[in-house]
Amino acid sequence: MSRRKINNWHPIKGQPLTELDKRMMYLQNKGHLVPSRKLIKTPEQIEGIRRSGIVNTGVLDLVAQEIKEGMSTAVIDKLVYDYTVSHGAIPAPLNYEGFPKSVCTSINDVVCHGIPSEKEILKDGDIINVDVSTILDGYYSDASRMFMIGNVSPEKKRLVEVTKECLQIGMEAAKPFGFVGDIGYAIQRHAQKNGYSVVRDLCGHGVGLEFHEEPEVLHFGKKGTGMVLVPGMVFTIEPMINMGRYDVYIDEDDGWTVLTDDGLPSAQWEHTFVMTDHGLEILTY
Ligand code: MF3
Ligand code: CO
């Protein structure tokens, strides 16, 4: 077996080594995966992503006010589009790799990437994830929330609540100079303790200058594995938690909608975070 070292961190030629350079080169010499320099956002870039996050939060607050039984998911799509463009921003999903709408709306056993439609009407007892991704002045933010329509069964309510706890617990597990795997470990533990499973096939991701950047943020795994978390990194945590088994499949007809294999419900919450010297800060509040 051969091991190839990945040298992601390079000092800037002709400049003296900074403390960060020394720390990164030490970590990567020990065999850890470290971010490349472009994954460490400048204060100016972080402010840009924060402004994008403010529009993103405004969209989700509007959806929270308006969403109700009898509404089609196409109406949610229009709310998202209109609010976003009237605030000088662009909905990131629209035309992204051929995605036809401005937002993902994922009901009950739809795990994620549901496509809004006039034919899809919210019913009493539904749980729905609304996933909003926003581009403002070239800066990307990404967040999603669950909404409960009318009288939701206690079983589905608990799934929604535990999934929100998974996001919170994942956030608290992320420490500066800790590892991406610490996040997944904490989320998996909490989900499984509650009798649920963590979707394996989709993950969180770096975000900010592009929609999807490195690293992949798995919502399961082992402590001390994966990329080192360095202050200035911006990424999402977005656990998809299934009431039953973790297996999922993609709807062949639309090529997007991800569903649970066993037909049981799935929930998801998401925020965009920046790593600081003290831990994660939410940029989508
Ligand atoms: N918002 C999703 C995420 O959290 C990505 C959706 S891609 C789309 O990463 F094309 F379906 F919008
Ligand atoms: Co995301």
Side-chain angles (χ1 to χ4, degrees), residues 93 96 99 104 113 131 133 142 205 211-212 238 256 268 270:
Y96 174 76
F99 192 81
C104 298
H113 302 169
D131 189 344
S133 313
D142 193 2
H205 50 92
F211 199 166
H212 296 107
E238 47 182 301
W256 280 102
Q268 179 178 29
E270 173 179 22

Side-chain angles (χ1 to χ4, degrees), residues 3 8 37 39 50 83 88 122-123 145 192 261:
R3 264 172 207 278
N8 274 337
R37 202 178 282 281
L39 297 185
R50 192 189 301 281
Y83 183 100
L122 295 176
K123 325 184 288 301
R145 300 183 198 165
Q192 291 181 182
D261 251 354

Side-chain angles (χ1 to χ4, degrees), residues 149-223:
I149 308 301
N151 295 304
V152 171
S153 72
E155 291 77 16
K156 280 159 104 179
K157 249 186 207 154
R158 195 172 77 89
L159 176 68
V160 169
E161 277 155 18
V162 170
T163 304
K164 193 175 191 181
E165 290 163 13
C166 283
L167 176 55
Q168 178 71 28
I169 285 165
M171 171 186 174
E172 286 162 9
K175 305 284 186 219
F177 299 99
F179 296 87
V180 169
D182 304 348
I183 300 170
Y185 171 81
I187 290 172
Q188 182 179 14
R189 206 179 108 107
H190 190 64
Q192 291 181 182
K193 202 169 75 185
N194 282 281
Y196 300 143
S197 64
V198 178
V199 172
R200 301 288 207 258
D201 294 352
L202 298 124
C203 57
H205 50 92
V207 66
L209 308 184
E210 292 166 45
F211 199 166
H212 296 107
E213 303 177 10
E214 281 192 282
E216 287 193 342
V217 180
L218 305 183
H219 303 111
F220 61 96
K222 289 196 173 70
K223 280 192 215 178

Side-chain angles (χ1 to χ4, degrees), residues 1 12 50 69 88 114 120-121 142 144 173 185 213 241 244 275:
M1 195 180 87
I12 300 174
R50 192 189 301 281
E69 190 182 341
E120 187 174 55
I121 310 292
D142 193 2
S144 79
Y185 171 81
E213 303 177 10
I241 306 296
M275 181 53 78

Side-chain angles (χ1 to χ4, degrees), residues 4 18 28 49 65 104 138-139 184-185 194 210 222 229 233 237 239 250 261 274:
R4 196 168 55 88
T18 64
Q28 92 178 348
I49 302 165
Q65 268 178 42
C104 298
Y139 294 109
Y185 171 81
N194 282 281
E210 292 166 45
K222 289 196 173 70
L229 296 169
M233 286 171 74
I237 306 176
I250 299 178
D261 251 354
V274 60

